[in-house]
Amino acid sequence: MEAQRRRAWYPSIAVVLAVTDVLLILLGTRVGFPKLLVWVPAVAGPALAFAAFRGAGALTGGALRTFWRRLSLGMGTVVVAALSQAIDVSTTRYSGMPPIGARTLLLYVIGTVLAISAMLRLPGGGRSWRQLTTAVLDVAVVAVTAGIAASQYVGWFIDRFGVSASAWWLNIAMMAIAVAGVVVVVKIMSARRSPVPRSALWWLAPVGLCGPLSTVLMSVLSPWPHLNGSAAVLPFVGMFGVLAAYAQRRAMTAGAGGAHPSRSLNPSAHRRGTAVPLVATGLTSVLLATVFVRTGHLTVVQVGGTALLLLLVVARQAVALADNATLLTTVAHQAMHDDLTGLFGRRYFTAAVAGARGPHTVVLIDLKEFRTLNDGLGPDAGDELLVAYASRLGGLAGDGTVVARLGGDEFGLLLAGTQSDVADRVVAANAEPLHAAGHEVLVDVSVGIAEGDAGDLYRRAELALREAMTGTGGSVIRYDASLERELTQRATIAADLRRGLTAGEFHMLYQPIVELPHGRLVGVEALVRWTRADGRVVSPADFIPIAEDTGLIVDLGAWIIDTVCAQAAAWQREHGPEALRSVAVNVSARQLLDPGLPDLVAGALAGHGVPAKLLTVEITETAVFGGGRALATVHALSELGVSLALDDFGTGHSSLGLLRTCPVDAIKVDKSFVDGLGGTPQQEAIVTALTGIAETMGLRTVAEGVETAEQAQRLFELGYRYAQGFLFARPLPPSAIDAMLQQNHHIAA
């Protein structure tokens, strides 16, 4: 950690060294100072880059670590070369251009070759033959452009320094450094995939210009012996190197070791490559125009190189256009097809439905419980299941049918004509299991069908599928006008529900829970009611499911919990803390998926001063049968100290194991079982069994829907001690419960 904190300062230090170098050069043209002064930032800059490269290697692994270590070896050699040149300058008498020995030149060349080797051995990712050809042509374009520029540079070099052995060695060293820059640029442009971040490669690119630039600066600064062209550029070599390593460090911190493969497949990555011929031809044009204006003619190398460059650019662009056409075809295919199954995608399917002429049939299919299967068997098995089902659909559909995966576990069929029997074939095929990751899986489906020649067949099929998925009308639903009316009604209720909640149109009624056999009030169940502003009463059976679907049940439930707690607190203040043993409130499956529900309940209890044990939260078996977040919420509620009751017990998944995994305190036996009392032993079997199970497990039992005295008597004989139903009272307003509590008080007195 300490080393990482130190490296965070490297970019700032490198910039300061570069700025210091510029200031020294500017000052050196005015006043004299020791020759070695300019070499302090010249050596410190590359040394800092060497340390930064080593640090980047330590942060990475694999090909990245190898790359940065090879690069650090090259930069370390440059540091040694800079020290060698500083020794040359300090031990040799000279006037004019500073000396540079053979040892120093050799070190510069070795460092450059090592850097080039690191770049060339950096993996660039797989390519198609067109992409490989484009990369080769890019290299050729840059090489020809560099050759044209090099011919002019060599001419200038000979005019300035002559053709001595030392001059030629210097020229070779500078050309090698320039080649390093060319290699970096070509690597950036041609690599389809690179583990090194593109930004890091771009920071390395200017390093190749420093060699030729140092030669130019040697000539410019020759009147001042204490200044040096190499010393002028080396701090910038260090700065660009440090910034490249910093780009790598930032990429690692962000969780991306380099160019992500998925990004490299983006078409824009290929379009950026067009900068190679544009930049090359632009620079060549500027260079040749400058030479022609100054000399009035062009050399054979320059003219021939320009002609070759134009041919390469034309060839490169031709290959790139062919590659782009292939890429566009691939993108168009991917846009219209599903990657996993190979079927058509939603976009193609909706377009095909919209463009259909004449009678057609649209069938939408949803795999039931797919999420549970996917979670239980794993995502790989889930994918295999989808592929297997797609293959089954393709076999069922026949020729001329559009088969599509619309997303997730939803599929679609578009058939010519009216073919209602296709749904029967789809359902019948599910009798055969599908094979997925070594498992044999039976799938069940919900199917929505719409037939006709109207343009909104897809929407109609969606309505039918939505109805089928609710499970109230069967697993196969065919669209008819009643679905449209129901949708309109549901939309109206949903809009009014939100408005009514804001306007205070909801109120609570409380149905008594009594103790058998005498019928004394011991608790209440809170029931929400809605009376619209126009006086019309909306049944809970109509608005509760809509509140569930729209998510408004969360807001409505929060209001109910707060209102019930406030009323419970009022009853306690009025009639004493022991007046009621339980005030029950129903919580829906959607509310149990809200992780904030326990905090909401805790806040309502604390806000109104209600003891947790007084509140009973009623849940259904179906809501918690699958476990997961809902069951975790139930455990959190139990930890608050509130009581938990399983409502409508026996009508849901009915797993007795649920009584062990779910921390319930009571079970409420559904009315459908109470109605069987007084009949045959078989009709009374469940009611009889449940009281025995509850007694053994220490649970309270409450019988719901008691309507006759005979039922109440029989329940008492079977061991039931609590009941509710119309025999005792219908749901009542708080004032009526007040009166019953007052009556209890008088009886007790």
Side-chain angles (χ1 to χ4, degrees):
M1 291 298 295
E2 184 63 30
Q4 291 183 12
R5 282 195 292 268
R6 287 199 304 270
R7 292 189 191 106
W9 287 95
Y10 284 5
S12 301
I13 297 172
V15 171
V16 169
L17 289 173
V19 171
T20 301
D21 179 74
V22 172
L23 294 176
L24 286 173
I25 297 296
L26 293 175
L27 180 63
T29 61
R30 303 285 182 179
V31 298
F33 46 69
K35 295 177 181 180
L36 291 180
L37 184 59
V38 295
W39 285 96
V40 174
V43 174
L48 196 64
F50 168 77
F53 290 167
R54 296 290 295 178
L59 284 175
T60 56
L64 265 178
R65 174 170 294 182
T66 302
F67 168 75
W68 287 108
R69 286 185 172 177
R70 287 171 178 164
L71 213 56
S72 68
L73 186 59
M75 186 59 72
T77 308
V78 170
V79 173
V80 176
L83 288 170
S84 176
Q85 190 172 1
I87 293 171
D88 291 341
V89 169
S90 63
T91 59
T92 305
R93 291 182 176 273
Y94 63 90
S95 61
M97 191 181 76
I100 180 168
R103 177 192 66 238
T104 301
L105 283 173
L106 182 61
L107 287 170
Y108 278 130
V109 171
I110 292 174
T112 303
V113 169
L114 289 172
I116 293 175
S117 173
M119 289 301 307
L120 291 177
R121 298 173 72 176
L122 180 66
R127 306 180 181 91
S128 67
W129 71 267
R130 283 196 180 95
Q131 292 164 343
L132 184 61
T133 302
T134 300
V136 171
L137 289 172
D138 280 342
V139 173
V141 166
V142 175
V144 171
T145 303
I148 295 172
S151 69
Q152 185 64 25
Y153 170 79
V154 170
W156 172 84
F157 188 90
I158 293 173
D159 290 341
R160 177 65 63 179
F161 301 106
V163 292
S164 64
S166 60
W168 275 110
W169 275 109
L170 176 62
N171 194 32
I172 290 172
M174 296 306 105
M175 292 297 290
I177 295 173
V179 168
V182 171
V183 170
V184 173
V185 173
V186 171
K187 198 71 178 181
I188 293 170
M189 292 299 185
S190 63
R192 181 166 179 251
R193 293 189 184 98
S194 173
V196 180
R198 189 172 289 267
S199 56
L201 293 177
W202 277 119
W203 280 119
L204 291 172
V207 174
L209 301 176
C210 292
L213 181 60
S214 69
T215 307
V216 174
L217 289 176
M218 282 183 184
S219 176
V220 172
L221 297 175
S222 58
W224 300 279
H226 53 284
L227 301 180
N228 189 288
S230 296
V233 299
L234 282 171
F236 290 91
V237 171
M239 182 184 73
F240 291 131
V242 169
L243 292 175
Y246 181 68
Q248 175 67 74
R249 180 171 171 268
R250 287 193 62 184
M252 294 300 296
T253 303
H260 195 280
S262 63
R263 293 178 194 158
S264 65
L265 296 175
N266 191 314
S268 63
H270 299 285
R271 288 197 295 269
R272 284 195 295 267
T274 58
V276 173
L278 292 176
V279 172
T281 52
L283 291 176
T284 302
S285 299
V286 172
L287 174 63
L288 295 182
T290 304
V291 171
F292 187 79
V293 169
R294 293 185 60 185
T295 64
H297 69 279
L298 298 175
T299 66
V300 174
V301 173
Q302 291 166 344
V303 174
T306 302
L308 179 60
L309 176 63
L310 292 177
L311 289 174
L312 289 172
V313 169
V314 170
R316 191 264 186 213
Q317 294 303 88
V319 174
L321 287 174
D323 190 37
N324 286 342
T326 302
L327 181 63
L328 289 175
T329 302
T330 302
V331 170
H333 181 273
Q334 291 177 345
M336 294 297 180
H337 289 74
D338 174 57
D339 290 339
L340 178 63
T341 63
L343 299 178
F344 289 111
R346 179 183 292 272
R347 180 178 298 180
Y348 182 91
F349 188 79
T350 54
V353 173
R357 296 293 178 265
H360 279 76
T361 301
V362 173
V363 181
L364 300 184
I365 304 163
D366 181 87
L367 303 187
K368 292 183 179 179
E369 304 295 337
F370 174 75
R371 180 175 297 179
T372 302
L373 289 171
N374 192 63
D375 293 342
L377 301 179
D380 291 338
D383 288 348
E384 288 190 28
L385 181 64
L386 292 173
V387 172
Y389 191 76
S391 178
R392 171 180 287 180
L393 277 185
L396 289 173
D399 296 336
T401 300
V402 177
V403 185
R405 181 188 176 208
L406 306 177
D409 58 348
E410 186 177 336
F411 295 84
L413 302 175
L414 174 62
L415 305 97
T418 55
Q419 301 186 36
S420 298
D421 63 318
V422 69
D424 298 329
R425 299 200 303 271
V426 167
V427 173
N430 295 332
E432 291 294 325
L434 293 170
H435 299 279
H439 301 276
E440 289 193 347
V441 182
L442 284 172
V443 297
D444 197 5
V445 295
S446 299
V447 182
I449 304 173
E451 300 170 311
D453 53 4
D456 60 348
L457 277 179
Y458 186 83
R459 185 187 66 83
R460 294 181 176 186
E462 280 191 313
L463 291 179
L465 177 63
R466 189 181 308 168
E467 185 69 17
M469 291 172 65
T470 62
T472 57
S475 59
V476 179
I477 299 293
R478 290 171 171 81
Y479 172 85
D480 59 36
S482 64
L483 289 179
E484 202 79 54
R485 291 192 298 271
E486 183 179 342
L487 176 66
T488 302
Q489 181 183 6
R490 288 171 65 88
T492 301
I493 291 177
D496 289 345
L497 185 63
R498 188 180 299 275
R499 178 196 51 76
L501 185 58
T502 304
E505 294 178 357
F506 291 89
H507 64 280
M508 301 303 300
L509 297 180
Y510 299 87
Q511 185 170 30
I513 299 173
V514 303
E515 186 175 21
L516 297 177
H518 43 70
R520 187 174 69 88
L521 176 65
V522 293
V524 293
E525 178 183 355
L527 302 169
V528 65
R529 295 294 184 262
W530 180 14
T531 303
R532 291 163 47 102
D534 58 9
R536 185 165 63 89
V537 176
V538 184
S539 169
D542 292 333
F543 72 80
I544 291 296
I546 296 174
E548 286 266 8
D549 290 344
T550 60
L552 284 173
I553 193 68
V554 175
D555 293 335
L556 179 60
W559 176 84
I560 290 172
I561 290 170
D562 185 74
T563 302
V564 169
C565 287
Q567 184 61 61
W571 282 327
Q572 283 203 312
R573 289 193 300 270
E574 180 70 20
H575 304 287
E578 302 300 326
L580 287 172
R581 300 180 190 174
S582 170
V583 178
V585 60
N586 290 280
V587 172
S588 71
R590 174 65 181 81
Q591 288 175 274
L592 289 177
L593 295 177
D594 181 8
L597 179 63
D599 290 338
L600 177 72
V601 172
L605 291 171
H608 296 289
V610 177
K613 66 179 181 179
L614 179 62
L615 183 66
T616 297
V617 174
E618 295 189 4
I619 58 178
T620 63
E621 299 166 274
T622 305
V624 294
F625 185 78
R629 182 185 296 177
L631 188 57
T633 301
V634 170
H635 279 281
L637 290 171
S638 178
E639 290 173 2
L640 291 177
V642 303
S643 296
L644 293 165
L646 276 180
D647 197 13
D648 301 330
F649 189 78
T651 62
H653 289 283
S654 303
S655 170
L656 293 178
L658 190 63
L659 297 178
R660 291 187 295 106
T661 59
C662 188
V664 297
D665 304 286
I667 55 176
K668 302 189 72 174
V669 181
D670 188 71
K671 179 181 184 299
S672 60
F673 301 117
V674 174
D675 289 342
L677 293 174
T680 66
Q682 290 82 0
Q683 290 175 312
E684 290 189 347
I686 292 178
V687 179
T688 304
L690 286 179
T691 185
I693 293 171
E695 183 178 356
T696 301
M697 300 186 70
L699 305 177
R700 299 193 313 275
T701 53
V702 180
E704 296 183 292
V706 180
E707 296 182 347
T708 67
E710 290 78 10
Q711 289 175 339
Q713 179 61 33
R714 184 57 179 157
L715 286 168
F716 181 72
E717 292 171 356
L718 292 174
Y720 286 83
R721 293 298 176 262
Y722 303 101
Q724 69 181 99
F726 290 171
L727 172 66
F728 309 106
R730 292 178 177 272
L732 301 171
S735 58
I737 301 297
D738 271 318
M740 295 180 70
L741 290 174
Q742 190 65 35
Q743 183 180 4
N744 279 357
H745 179 71
H746 289 317
I747 293 174

